[in-house]
Amino acid sequence: FTRYTPAAGIPELRNAVAEQACRDWQWPELAAENVVVTVGGKQALFNLMLAVLNPGDEAVIFAPYWVSYPEMVRLAGGRPVIVPTPMDARFQPNAEALEKAITPRTRLVILNSPSNPTGVAFDRRTVEELADVLRAHPNVWIATDEIYRKILFSGRTHHSIARIAPDLRDRIVIVDGVSKSWRMTGWRIGFAIGPRAVIRAMAAIQGQSTSNACSIAQKAALAALRADEAEIRAMTAQYEARAKWLATQLSKAPGLRFIEPDGAFYLFLDVSARLQAGEDDVAFCTRMLEEAGVGLVPGSAFGMPGFVRLSFAVAEETLREAARRLLHALGA
Ligand SMILES: Cc1ncc(COP(=O)(O)O)c(C=O)c1O
């Protein structure tokens, strides 16, 4: 299995993704032609931006956002239009704010639930209201990045616009992949699922850039998709226990604010009350690195200065030690 595969991926994998997608999004028309296999979810997003954005086109992105969205929009010649989602609103995107951000140049809206960096998942009502706004703007593509959808904690439901608003499916592209749920980040396999014409365009772009995703990794992804999801559920239960434990620990530190995540493996902390004179979130992260040896990502990278992101996808002992050091550095 050492040769090129079709640029859009091996038929077995495209079929398996389509079959799973038919079930998970209750989108029965999906077939292999609606799927392109990419080099991680990242390339799925990048192919999409290149396919739908012309120079000067606008893409609406809710902040805090995954770091690569605005940069990819810029690389495609587009203009990111950032719409903040405040922590007090549990980082739920606001439909009115979306409506205000849409202009005649808007070609794309990017949704991400559960979110990197907040771990927060969209409420059903949020998705319904966003869909109502988008219904009135037929020229706008909807990218829904659901790469963490299977890492959801107990009692939470994944609400996808692709399932809630089937009438918008002719312009919805789902981004998924094996990196997070199957813990296969290094294998670099992602998927885009959507209308055939845009998927064809994305595959054509891929055909002139990387060609197929690694042949062997595609076989591994196929095995992952066919495997029992009990492993994913066990992993998610571990993440949930860590999230709860971390939340209890961090609430001991005065002045830290955060929302307990619904899924994924991040905690997004408002550290604005803990910044020293003249310090911003980047300098705060440097201080924590130097004083406590703990790596955090500054919120400004996610469009949210004054915050920091903590990942708990590390070994339990490492997490316990990191929390102990962080609390010590914060005087708790
Ligand atoms: C929200 C989000 N989307 C997409 C990706 C890209 O995933 P991949 O590693 O499969 O390229 C990531 C990875 O961090 C992510 O957090």
Side-chain angles (χ1 to χ4, degrees):
F1 205 63
T2 57
R3 305 215 171 125
Y4 292 123
T5 78
I10 54 174
E12 309 92 283
L13 181 56
R14 293 176 80 194
N15 270 317
V17 172
E19 268 170 37
Q20 189 188 61
C22 287
R23 278 197 311 274
D24 289 2
W25 285 277
Q26 304 211 329
W27 183 342
E29 300 83 13
L30 292 174
E33 294 77 15
N34 297 91
V35 176
V36 58
V37 177
T38 54
V39 182
K42 210 167 212 177
Q43 193 188 21
L45 285 156
F46 193 46
N47 286 344
L48 176 66
M49 314 261 179
L50 291 176
V52 305
L53 295 177
N54 284 322
D57 284 348
E58 293 172 358
V60 176
I61 298 170
F62 295 98
Y65 45 72
W66 182 50
V67 290
S68 294
Y69 298 148
E71 304 307 334
M72 287 181 180
V73 168
R74 286 190 191 100
L75 283 167
R79 199 174 76 79
V81 173
I82 308 297
V83 177
T85 62
M87 185 163 85
D88 293 339
R90 284 190 57 253
F91 299 115
Q92 299 292 307
N94 177 276
E96 268 171 53
L98 172 63
E99 179 70 67
K100 279 201 193 111
I102 293 177
T103 75
R105 293 302 315 248
T106 309
R107 289 292 287 154
L108 178 67
V109 170
I110 304 171
L111 306 177
N112 172 217
S113 174
S115 148
N116 178 4
T118 64
V120 168
F122 291 168
D123 300 334
R124 188 182 174 94
R125 190 141 167 220
T126 298
V127 180
E128 285 169 350
E129 290 175 359
L130 294 175
D132 281 343
V133 169
L134 291 163
R135 221 163 253 131
H137 297 281
N139 294 327
V140 177
W141 285 94
I142 304 156
T144 178
D145 181 347
E146 304 183 15
I147 202 150
Y148 296 97
R149 71 197 167 93
K150 289 184 189 282
I151 310 177
L152 264 188
F153 303 155
S154 39
R156 272 70 157 201
T157 311
H158 178 58
H159 297 297
S160 168
I161 193 161
R163 186 156 170 188
I164 287 178
D167 57 311
L168 301 180
R169 283 176 179 167
D170 59 349
R171 48 199 172 94
I172 291 179
V173 176
I174 301 166
V175 174
D176 196 14
V178 296
S179 294
K180 315 294 178 179
S181 306
W182 284 270
R183 266 197 290 210
M184 290 170 67
T185 48
W187 293 83
R188 308 307 302 133
I189 296 292
F191 321 119
I193 305 155
R196 293 177 186 206
V198 76
I199 293 295
R200 232 185 350 262
M202 290 166 68
I205 289 165
Q206 189 163 303
Q208 301 302 341
S209 51
T210 57
S211 298
N212 60 274
C214 167
S215 59
I216 298 162
Q218 290 189 63
K219 287 274 188 184
L222 183 60
L225 286 193
R226 286 180 175 160
D228 188 341
E229 292 196 0
E231 292 273 349
I232 299 178
R233 288 191 291 275
M235 173 188 77
T236 302
Q238 273 186 9
Y239 285 147
E240 180 169 0
R242 285 184 208 171
K244 285 215 174 87
W245 180 81
L246 254 183
T248 312
Q249 296 301 308
L250 294 172
S251 50
K252 295 179 191 162
L256 286 187
R257 293 174 68 233
F258 56 91
I259 304 278
E260 280 195 40
D262 298 311
F265 35 75
Y266 307 110
L267 255 178
F268 201 50
L269 301 169
D270 177 358
V271 296
S272 52
R274 299 305 312 262
L275 299 176
Q276 295 178 346
E279 190 177 56
D280 61 7
D281 54 308
V282 179
F284 178 89
C285 289
T286 308
R287 178 157 63 92
M288 288 303 123
L289 193 60
E290 287 172 356
E291 284 183 13
V294 175
L296 302 164
V297 184
S300 47
F302 306 95
M304 209 81 165
F307 283 72
V308 300
R309 191 199 70 178
L310 186 157
S311 163
F312 49 88
V314 291
E316 210 109 324
E317 313 81 75
T318 312
L319 188 66
R320 282 180 190 278
E321 180 59 17
R324 191 189 66 72
R325 292 186 191 185
L326 207 55
L327 288 175
H328 180 72
L330 292 170

